[in-house]
């Protein structure tokens, strides 16, 4: 792959760089041709399509040390390495790396960009080979199950039959649970963090606010902004700002910002960002649009909204896990109000009812939903212990 | 109906744990309710090769268990046993926890619904030392075994060995084995009526099973 040397500080260059990633990612890439279509829940085949992924560590000879890490809504495959556009460290580097709880000296870690994403796996920003233009809204709506189907095809490509563990937080946790249901014999251990077996009405409502913000931006152009050379960055930034609030707790926001003013001594009696928390949110919004595609945001939030594991099994979640031989460790965080502990308990009760081996820990923290991405020693100890015991059972 | 076991206590292990382990068959499916740091589950896995699960109310305990690789969930015996299906386990163990539950009778019934056998160990409030303290001092006894004062103890439903036997009769379960341990941690060995056990047993371990 050619090395791109551009001034990434310039917004137009960043926009170009992120556009390029959608079709020609700097990570590893596998293309599935017409002989290997992806059958979507929407009832159509997606073909051809591609998956962008990163791997860390070495796959052992028995191919028994693979861990699939599934990313969340705004994540990507760069879990333990620098993001090619923002140059920021990987989103999971606290947890994953040499000597870390998910130890890449010992395990082979795979992380792929989700279906519908914008970092190289086929999504609305990818070029539709039939038209030569980005898909935009002509891409069928995808589901969490579709994402997992695509990941299973990636594993087939890598020659890996059984994962030692599949893990992820938030939407990544949904994928991990879906793995346990769709491919129970391929997931030896399942470690879902800060997640739920179905998206709640409140969470669907928050997502709808985000989507409406994107679609209300005149630059969105009914989803054709890429073709028309526009960018609904205001709408996407507002969506991200609203969502970001849901990732934090009241206590964490207060500790970080309180009512402190931003670079000023007094209120301005205007609508500029008087408060630090406003300035922080505006920054979160504007830095997000630099690296994310607005239509991808619509598709991925929709996939989460549609997620309902019990729904596929007559409304009884325990039936989804019937006969499972995987071992589970479910983790929630006390101050997470987006995926509260009650959601985790629902999963645990269903797993108990189906006789599965399950651990469950609720971790005390005031960091809110985002705690699964942060430096949480309790989470590290649990992850390490759970993987250790799985590895022992698999003779690693 | 009752058999009494010889002591078999490696010094580093808690004698009541060893007694509980002695009542569990090899390779059984076991749920330890109130499993603390997972000490008993570890012992059962090592000496009995059980498929063990645990419920523990404290976060710290759960986290330590999971970090050891044990399958333990955070939960409350009074609430969460209801979520398990019938016959999910061969043995459900309640080790030194019965007296801390809000509804001991309900918990015992749930244990024998989800497990074919129940193993229950508890401190005996009928022990002579406790009786003497109450008799002569007129205050709630505080002992080495039960060191908390009445206002801070998690133990809200103390019972004596005879109370427990009575409860077992009331809910109509079979008592397969019973062992009382004296203050030195040795089984009360001689064949004796319940009232003597109740006087000299500092703690008791019962193996119960459903009648049908």
């Amino acid at each position: 792959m050619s090395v791109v040397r551009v001034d990434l500080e310039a917004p137009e260059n960043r926009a170009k760089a992120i556009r390029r990633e959608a079709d020609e990612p700097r990570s590893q890439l596998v293309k599935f041709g017409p002989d290997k279509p992806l059958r979507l829940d929407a009832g159509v085949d997606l073909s051809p399509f591609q998956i962008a992924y990163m791997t860390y560590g070495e796959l052992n000879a028995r191919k028994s040390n693979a861990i699939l890490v599934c990313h969340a809504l705004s994540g990507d495959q760069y879990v333990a390495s620098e993001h090619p556009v923002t140059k920021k460290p990987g989103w999971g580097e606290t947890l994953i790396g040499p000597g870390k709880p998910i130890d890449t000296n010992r395990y082979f870690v795979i992380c792929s960009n989700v279906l519908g994403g914008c970092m190289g796996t086929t999504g609305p920003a990818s070029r539709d080979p039939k038209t030569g233009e980005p898909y935009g809204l002509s891409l069928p709506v995808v589901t969490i199950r579709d994402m997992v189907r695509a990941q299973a095809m990636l594993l087939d490509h890598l020659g890996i039959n059984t994962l030692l563990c599949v893990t992820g937080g938030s939407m990544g946790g949904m994928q991990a649970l879906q793995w346990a249901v769709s491919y129970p014999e391929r997931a030896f251990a399942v470690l879902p963090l800060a997640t739920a077996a179905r998206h709640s009405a409140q969470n669907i409502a928050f997502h709808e606010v985000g989507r409406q913000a994107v679609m209300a931006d005149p630059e969105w152009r009914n989803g054709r902004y890429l073709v028309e050379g526009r960018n609904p960055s205001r709408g996407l930034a507002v969506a991200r700002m609203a969502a970001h609030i849901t990732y934090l707790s009241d206590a964490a926001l207060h500790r970080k910002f309180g009512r402190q003013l931003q670079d000023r001594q007094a209120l301005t009696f205007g609508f500029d960002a008087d408060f630090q928390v406003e300035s922080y949110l505006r920054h979160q919004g504007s830095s997000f649009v630099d690296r994310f595609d607005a239509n991808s945001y619509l598709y991925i939030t929709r996939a989460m909204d549609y997620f309902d594991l019990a729904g596929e099994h007559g409304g009884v979640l325990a039936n989804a896990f019937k006969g499972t031989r995987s071992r589970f460790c479910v983790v929630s965080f006390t101050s997470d109000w987006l995926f509260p502990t009650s959601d985790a308990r629902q999963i645990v009760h269903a797993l108990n009812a189906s006789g599965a081996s399950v651990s469950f820990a609720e971790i005390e923290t005031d960091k809110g939903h985002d705690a699964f991405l942060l430096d949480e020693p309790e989470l590290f100890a649990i992850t390490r212990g759970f993987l250790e015991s799985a590895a022992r059972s698999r003779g690693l | 109906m009752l058999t009494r076991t010889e002591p078999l206590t490696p010094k580093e292990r808690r004698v009541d744990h060893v007694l509980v382990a002695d009542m569990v068959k090899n390779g059984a499916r076991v749920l330890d309710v109130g499993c603390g740091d997972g000490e008993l589950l570890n012992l059962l896995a090592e000496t009995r090769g059980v498929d063990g699960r645990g419920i523990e109310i404290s976060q710290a305990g759960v986290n330590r268990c999971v970090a050891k690789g044990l399958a333990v969930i955070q939960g409350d015996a009074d609430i969460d046993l209801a979520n398990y299906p019938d016959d999910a386990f061969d043995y459900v163990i309640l080790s030194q926890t019965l007296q801390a539950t809000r509804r001991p009778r309900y918990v015992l019934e749930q244990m024998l619904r989800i497990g074919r056998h129940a193993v229950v160990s508890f401190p005996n409030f009928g022990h002579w030392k406790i009786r003497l303290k109450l008799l002569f001092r007129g205050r709630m006894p505080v002992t080495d075994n039960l060191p908390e004062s009445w206002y801070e103890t998690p133990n809200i439903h103390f019972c004596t060995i005879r109370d427990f036997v009575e409860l077992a009769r009331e809910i109509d379960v079979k008592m397969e084995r019973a062992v009382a341990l004296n203050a030195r941690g040795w089984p009360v060995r001689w064949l004796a009526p319940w009232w003597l056990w109740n006087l000299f047993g500092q703690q008791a371990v019962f193996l119960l099973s459903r009648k049908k």
Side-chain angles (χ1 to χ4, degrees), chain A residues 178-247:
Chain A
Q178 184 70 61
W179 260 95
V181 172
S182 293
Y183 306 100
E185 71 290 348
R186 299 187 74 172
F188 184 76
V190 185
L191 175 59
L193 313 172
T195 193
R198 49 107 191 85
H199 219 214
S200 69
Q202 188 181 40
N203 289 1
I204 295 170
F206 278 122
H207 276 174
E208 175 60 3
V209 170
R211 285 189 295 264
Q212 287 298 331
V214 169
M215 294 189 284
D217 188 328
E219 298 288 297
W220 183 61
R221 305 269 169 176
N222 279 317
R224 288 182 51 79
Y225 55 91
L226 287 177
V227 179
E228 298 180 14
R230 316 294 279 266
N231 189 4
S233 53
R234 298 299 297 256
L236 183 59
V238 170
R240 175 64 172 177
M241 288 166 76
H244 199 81
I245 302 167
T246 69
Y247 304 150

Side-chain angles (χ1 to χ4, degrees), chain B residues 105-164:
Chain B
R105 178 183 173 145
Y106 168 82
V107 168
L108 207 54
E109 285 169 340
Q110 286 293 319
M111 288 171 71
L112 281 160
R113 177 185 66 78
I114 63 184
R116 269 196 293 283
H117 306 279
V119 183
V120 183
S121 72
F122 58 89
N124 174 28
F125 215 64
H127 188 252
W128 64 270
K129 272 192 189 168
I130 291 181
R131 297 193 200 191
L132 281 186
K133 284 202 172 173
L134 193 57
L135 182 64
F136 288 116
R137 297 192 62 207
R139 298 185 58 186
M140 282 301 279
V142 174
T143 66
D144 293 347
N145 237 18
L146 304 165
E148 287 116 337
S149 296
W150 65 274
Y151 49 83
E152 57 192 4
T153 179
N155 301 321
I156 52 175
H157 279 132
F158 276 123
C159 69
T160 69
I161 290 177
R162 293 188 83 166
D163 286 329
F164 185 82

Side-chain angles (χ1 to χ4, degrees), chain A residues 158-170:
Chain A
L158 296 172
I160 296 165
N161 185 44
T162 306
L163 291 164
L164 175 65
C165 181
V166 53
T167 184
S170 196

Side-chain angles (χ1 to χ4, degrees), chain B residues 67-79:
Chain B
K68 287 178 194 164
L70 297 168
V72 171
I73 69 163
Q74 189 166 38
D76 184 337
D78 282 297
I79 297 163

Side-chain angles (χ1 to χ4, degrees), chain B residues 32-71:
Chain B
D32 184 4
V33 181
C35 63
D37 285 1
E39 205 184 323
L40 176 59
L41 277 174
N42 258 344
L43 177 72
L44 287 167
E46 281 168 21
T47 62
R48 289 277 178 261
V50 302
D51 176 6
R53 312 282 162 79
I55 300 182
E56 168 57 31
I57 201 162
S58 80
Q59 185 199 327
V62 173
N63 295 3
R64 279 196 289 272
C65 288
V66 179
K68 287 178 194 164
L70 297 168

Side-chain angles (χ1 to χ4, degrees), chain B residues 84 101 136 155 157 174 196:
Chain B
Y84 289 86
T101 62
F136 288 116
N155 301 321
H157 279 132
K174 201 165 123 196
L196 209 63

Side-chain angles (χ1 to χ4, degrees), chain A residues 345 349 352-353 355-364 378 381-382 385 389, chain B residues 29 53 59 62-63 66-75 80 83-85:
Chain A
R345 281 195 189 280
H349 290 162
N352 276 335
S357 166
V358 54
S359 296
F360 164 57
E362 182 187 28
I363 292 174
E364 180 95 36
E378 295 272 5
I382 285 168
S389 123
Chain B
R29 287 173 52 85
R53 312 282 162 79
Q59 185 199 327
V62 173
N63 295 3
V66 179
K68 287 178 194 164
L70 297 168
V72 171
I73 69 163
Q74 189 166 38
D80 292 299
N83 295 305
Y84 289 86

Side-chain angles (χ1 to χ4, degrees), chain A residues 43-117:
Chain A
V44 292
D45 284 351
L46 182 63
S47 178
F49 79 103
Q50 64 183 38
I51 299 175
Y53 65 100
M54 291 291 291
T55 66
Y56 307 89
E58 299 279 336
L59 186 61
N60 64 10
R62 284 167 51 216
K63 302 191 174 185
S64 60
N65 67 335
I67 296 179
L68 178 67
V69 177
C70 304
H71 71 71
L73 167 55
S74 63
D76 48 54
Q77 66 271 40
Y78 301 100
V79 58
S81 45
E82 186 183 77
H83 190 284
V85 179
T86 65
K87 303 294 176 199
K88 285 191 177 147
W91 57 267
E93 282 192 20
T94 53
L95 198 60
I96 301 161
K100 304 263 175 78
I102 300 179
D103 188 351
T104 51
N105 289 333
R106 193 161 177 215
Y107 307 120
F108 179 64
V109 174
I110 308 157
C111 183
S112 65
N113 188 212
V114 293
L115 193 68

